[in-house]
Amino acid sequence: TVKTTRDWASRVAGNPGFKFTAKLPQAFTHIRQPNAQDEADLKAALAPLHDAGRLGALLLQFPYAFHHSPANRAYLHQLVECFRDYPLVLEVRHRSWDVPSAYEFLGERGVGFCNIDQPQVSYSLGLTQHVTSAIGYLRLHGRNTATWFQDDANRDARYDYLYSAPELEEITEALGVQVRRAVELLISEVVPFAPGTRRITITRSGESRRSCSASRPIANARRSRRSAPANSGPSSRTYRSRSVPRMRL
């Protein structure tokens, strides 16, 4: 609601670098039958964050069943036009989207691509490292193939997974590519890391390395090249856990 998002913006007024990521409601992405009131309500709720410069991204997260087809491309185009005033990022789950024409489509419209790490079941999209706008984005869903498409599994069961150290090395390599290409890098995940492997450090040169700390999930992280002084030479930014509640507009 407008009251809720206005309160969020007020609560982080003392932190100039803090930004929120909002996810488009399922009426737009899963049911795909939104009405004018759905659009008006969402835009009203986003206004306090957007006007205050606190909206890092509006995530258009589609389910696995949303394949890359002419009809779905047309629907996505309509959605992008509807919310063109916001920093948009697309998340898709099906491998059919992993084609040059899809990334060109996003790049031409200034829409970011959400790289995901998810269980590799059927034609699931694998871990990618694409940047199609100023925003680089990575979401970690875990690799629990046993319950990912299980009908009677709840959300906790699907995301019941701990990343190992070798798996984190693969992820940080993908992050390094995005760091070199994006102005801002957003990371979100819903699964914890294995003990001793939570903290990830990315250098400005694009190299990445893992350092150790206690096991806690990274709720949200952000990096901006604009925050680094010009010609300052190699430097690094550590992504630390941030206690951010699940937010519903």
Side-chain angles (χ1 to χ4, degrees):
T1 65
V2 176
K3 182 180 182 300
T4 300
T5 53
R6 186 181 294 122
D7 179 59
W8 292 345
S10 175
R11 290 169 62 186
V12 299
N15 187 343
F18 193 102
K19 289 190 175 183
F20 295 88
T21 294
K23 188 162 68 172
L24 213 60
Q26 291 193 1
F28 295 90
T29 57
H30 290 60
I31 303 171
R32 295 195 286 281
Q33 291 182 341
N35 56 42
Q37 192 60 52
D38 292 328
E39 178 185 340
D41 290 345
L42 177 60
K43 289 183 176 179
L46 291 173
L49 299 179
H50 187 245
D51 294 347
R54 296 294 186 172
L55 185 61
L58 177 59
L59 184 65
L60 318 179
Q61 187 249 302
F62 287 91
Y64 177 85
F66 190 73
H67 297 179
H68 185 230
S69 68
N72 286 343
R73 276 273 290 265
Y75 178 78
L76 179 60
H77 175 72
Q78 293 176 357
L79 208 58
V80 169
E81 289 299 306
C82 180
F83 294 100
R84 63 190 304 174
D85 293 333
Y86 305 97
L88 302 179
V89 175
L90 173 69
E91 177 182 348
V92 287
R93 306 288 180 87
H94 194 270
R95 196 183 303 168
S96 58
W97 288 92
D98 192 19
V99 291
S101 61
Y103 302 118
E104 292 169 3
F105 173 88
L106 298 176
E108 291 169 357
R109 291 159 178 81
V111 178
F113 181 75
C114 179
N115 300 278
I116 60 174
D117 188 67
Q118 65 174 341
Q120 291 302 288
V121 180
S122 188
Y123 289 94
S124 295
L125 182 66
L127 178 61
T128 54
Q129 47 192 236
H130 299 290
V131 177
T132 57
S133 75
I135 301 173
Y137 207 114
L138 174 67
R139 293 191 81 197
L140 305 179
H141 298 298
R143 301 184 180 184
N144 190 344
T145 58
T147 59
W148 192 239
F149 285 145
Q150 188 173 312
D151 292 336
D152 59 348
N154 60 24
R155 180 181 180 277
D156 290 342
R158 288 192 175 94
Y159 291 102
D160 184 13
Y161 190 81
L162 287 174
Y163 281 101
S164 66
E167 289 169 337
L168 283 179
E169 294 292 351
E170 179 185 359
I171 291 169
T172 53
E173 182 177 343
L175 277 174
V177 174
Q178 294 185 67
V179 165
R180 292 193 296 270
R181 298 175 181 173
V183 175
E184 293 183 338
L185 178 59
L186 305 175
I187 308 172
S188 67
E189 56 85 24
V190 293
V191 296
F193 294 154
T197 60
R198 179 188 59 83
R199 190 176 300 164
I200 300 173
T201 301
I202 308 293
T203 66
R204 287 185 59 210
S205 63
E207 299 174 352
S208 58
R209 62 181 183 271
R210 173 177 51 80
S211 57
C212 296
S213 68
S215 175
R216 287 188 62 187
I218 296 179
N220 192 316
R222 175 180 178 271
R223 176 190 186 277
S224 175
R225 282 182 180 165
R226 290 174 296 190
S227 64
N231 302 319
S232 60
S235 63
S236 64
R237 175 70 60 96
T238 299
Y239 296 89
R240 300 179 184 275
S241 63
R242 183 181 294 171
S243 180
V244 179
R246 181 168 297 278
M247 299 166 184
R248 180 171 297 175
L249 300 179

